[in-house]
Amino acid sequence: MKRLLKGARIVDPANGRDGTFDLLISGDRIARVGLALTADSDTTVIHVPSGLVVCPGLIDMHVHLREPGQEHKETVATGTAAAVAGGFTAVACMPNTNPVNDNAGVTEYMLKKAAEANLARVYPIGAVSRGQKGEQLADMAELRRAGCVAVSDDGHPVATALLMRRALEYAGMFHMVVIDHCEDQTLKGDGVAHDGFVASTLGLRGIPGEAESIMVQRDVALAELTGGAVHIAHMSARQSLDAVRYGKARGARVTCEVTPHHFTLNDERLSSPRPYDTNAKMNPPLRDELDRAAMCAGLVDGTVDAIATDHAPHHYDEKQVEFDRAPFGITGLETAVSLVFDRLVHAGAITLSRMVELMSLNPARILNVTGGSLSEGALADITILAPDLLVTVSVDRMRSRSKNTPFGGWSLRGGVAATIVGGRSVYLNDAVNLQL
Ligand SMILES: [Zn+2]
């Protein structure tokens, strides 16, 4: 089966394209991209309405799918349904499941569930250490063979400098990046919010930015020592950005990601509109305005490599407790594109091409996975964006099993029109006038 997308604005930074082209899909591949392509008799022609944008499928390199073990929060099926509704053709899922993804059995189970759901591609991330206990390294050769694309102890930092050194050396042998949740646990202590004015006024225990940046500095030093590749997860503090800049300037193999909530919100969200709202509790915490602005600056100047959601579903009942006792984390798959459009692209901070770099091309490169471009012959993983669609975030309509978002009711400009994985339409937004 062939489908010809006619007259679409195509944004594909890997091939230096931003303009009006036709794109021919044949089976699960992109067959041709060019001007005035003609259709033969077995080709369905789709006229893409003006205003929509065709780009390489978005890749979220940091999600928690919760399966196995916490299926009341999310499953691979509900998480990937949320992913495609959010415009993501692929997600990389963290290993802090129960049991932990530190062996081939768990990796294969996740991949089997993903194949059954048959929506977004799922790239499992294996644990750095057995049981994520921070003691012995997991068997990375086994994890790689089973289908893991990277390693991380996310939820926790890689516990010690020695373990991180070994992880960088060992993962590098299998062409995997080590993704670190950077947090000095002695400095974090039992903190629940950013250590600043807002936390003080609310009587909440603080977590300083240095709890993160000290660990980023360690990882940058060890990346330089070993020649290994480290990726800093969910960066939130301006001091961390400085550490990444320093590492990049010295040629260390360091990359980093920022979440939509860290470039959109600051810690004032803890006091208004509703004080102690547990949907504003995440780790790392929402930081102050200087930090938020610094994350935006890093996204603009190229220091930040990727936007990732850190989609962290929690059941309603788990969040309906005192702020101190609530689990950290919010969902993110279904609000990311709208936040990026509204806060960055329409605000004039970044171009559409840079958006595609941050959400597709760079994640593909960092994880060394397929995707990130609309090259001829590539798998037809495609996201069709609706930059001017007015979106009201409706918690009830979300496909994720969990509803813990601080963005419910927000009005944003920009959304997703359709998501195509391997040539198959897996999501079509009925608010957009598009027939696929
Ligand atoms: Zn984390």
Side-chain angles (χ1 to χ4, degrees):
M1 193 188 77
K2 292 187 199 164
R3 288 193 289 176
L4 180 61
L5 303 184
K6 283 291 272 182
R9 178 176 171 196
I10 290 186
V11 176
D12 179 18
N15 289 300
R17 279 203 178 98
D18 182 352
T20 303
F21 296 93
D22 299 342
L23 184 149
L24 179 67
I25 300 170
S26 177
D28 66 348
R29 302 270 158 184
I30 295 168
R32 293 226 23 220
V33 182
L35 296 169
L37 299 185
T38 50
D40 32 358
S41 55
D42 64 339
T43 304
T44 308
V45 177
I46 296 152
H47 292 277
V48 180
S50 70
L52 300 188
V53 168
V54 172
C55 70
L58 305 182
I59 300 170
D60 189 346
M61 62 182 297
H62 189 148
V63 306
H64 298 270
L65 293 179
R66 304 301 192 201
E67 188 177 8
Q70 296 190 300
E71 290 84 352
H72 65 291
K73 297 176 194 262
E74 194 80 284
T75 63
V76 174
T78 59
T80 51
V84 297
F88 294 100
T89 56
V91 295
C93 60
M94 286 296 175
N96 59 339
T97 47
N98 185 14
V100 166
N101 184 15
D102 63 0
N103 66 80
V106 178
T107 308
E108 285 162 6
Y109 178 83
M110 290 172 169
L111 289 171
K112 180 167 165 281
K113 289 289 169 184
E116 283 168 13
N118 204 15
L119 293 166
R121 294 181 201 281
V122 172
Y123 296 119
I125 296 170
V128 167
S129 63
R130 290 198 184 157
Q132 293 193 302
K133 291 199 167 79
E135 292 160 8
Q136 286 170 296
L137 283 181
D139 188 337
M140 292 184 195
E142 174 186 319
L143 289 167
R144 183 61 159 165
R145 269 198 304 275
C148 286
V149 299
V151 287
S152 179
D153 270 351
D154 188 62
H156 309 282
V158 177
T160 67
L162 179 62
L163 189 71
M164 188 62 175
R165 177 187 184 171
R166 297 281 181 253
L168 285 164
E169 288 168 345
Y170 194 32
M173 291 164 54
F174 304 102
H175 309 289
M176 292 194 289
V177 64
V178 180
I179 302 174
D180 201 12
H181 163 121
C182 286
E183 176 178 73
D184 181 294
Q185 294 195 303
T186 62
L187 264 184
K188 183 202 170 202
D190 54 4
V192 295
H194 175 63
D195 193 9
F197 178 77
V198 175
S200 302
T201 56
L202 294 174
L204 297 173
R205 289 182 299 278
I207 307 170
E210 285 76 5
E212 177 180 278
S213 63
I214 283 173
M215 207 61 123
V216 177
Q217 288 158 359
R218 179 198 79 174
D219 288 355
V220 166
L222 293 173
E224 207 175 344
L225 173 69
T226 60
V230 67
H231 177 78
I232 311 301
H234 47 53
M235 195 170 64
S236 65
R238 55 192 184 275
Q239 301 91 329
S240 305
L241 194 68
D242 291 339
V244 169
R245 281 202 184 99
Y246 169 86
K248 287 189 170 191
R250 291 174 63 86
R253 294 172 65 199
V254 55
T255 53
C256 64
E257 72 195 24
V258 167
T259 69
H261 46 278
H262 285 113
F263 68 67
T264 301
L265 299 171
N266 62 28
D267 58 354
E268 284 163 26
R269 180 64 179 76
L270 299 180
S271 51
S272 79
R274 191 154 64 85
Y276 305 102
D277 182 356
T278 56
N279 285 334
K281 180 178 178 183
M282 65 285 283
N283 191 15
L286 296 174
R287 298 205 183 272
D288 65 22
E289 179 54 23
L290 287 175
D291 288 311
R292 191 201 64 78
M295 294 309 111
C296 288
L299 287 160
V300 172
D301 72 19
T303 307
V304 176
D305 300 276
I307 292 172
T309 67
D310 191 11
H311 177 80
H314 291 293
H315 191 270
Y316 180 78
D317 292 347
E318 294 165 314
K319 281 284 200 181
Q320 284 300 104
V321 296
E322 295 88 336
F323 193 88
D324 274 3
R325 293 176 51 222
F328 293 101
I330 63 166
T331 60
L333 283 165
E334 292 167 87
T335 46
V337 162
S338 295
L339 290 167
V340 172
F341 267 123
D342 196 89
R343 298 301 151 129
L344 300 176
V345 178
H346 294 315
I350 64 170
T351 61
L352 253 170
S353 179
R354 173 74 176 141
M355 173 180 174
V356 173
E357 247 176 57
L358 287 161
M359 300 184 80
S360 177
L361 177 58
N362 290 350
R365 284 182 176 162
I366 294 165
L367 296 174
N368 194 19
V369 296
T370 180
S373 83
L374 296 174
S375 301
E376 293 178 357
L379 280 170
D381 287 3
I382 297 168
T383 302
I384 305 181
L385 299 167
D388 293 313
L389 183 70
L390 296 176
V391 173
T392 301
V393 178
S394 165
V395 173
D396 296 333
R397 292 194 62 203
M398 287 187 167
R399 304 191 176 200
S400 170
R401 182 162 281 180
S402 291
K403 314 293 176 196
N404 49 313
T405 171
F407 301 113
W410 279 41
S411 295
L412 299 164
R413 181 173 152 221
V416 176
T419 309
I420 297 170
V421 176
R424 264 181 335 117
S425 303
V426 289
Y427 174 73
L428 183 60
N429 186 347
D430 54 23
V432 175
N433 177 28
L434 175 70
Q435 253 96 48
L436 277 182

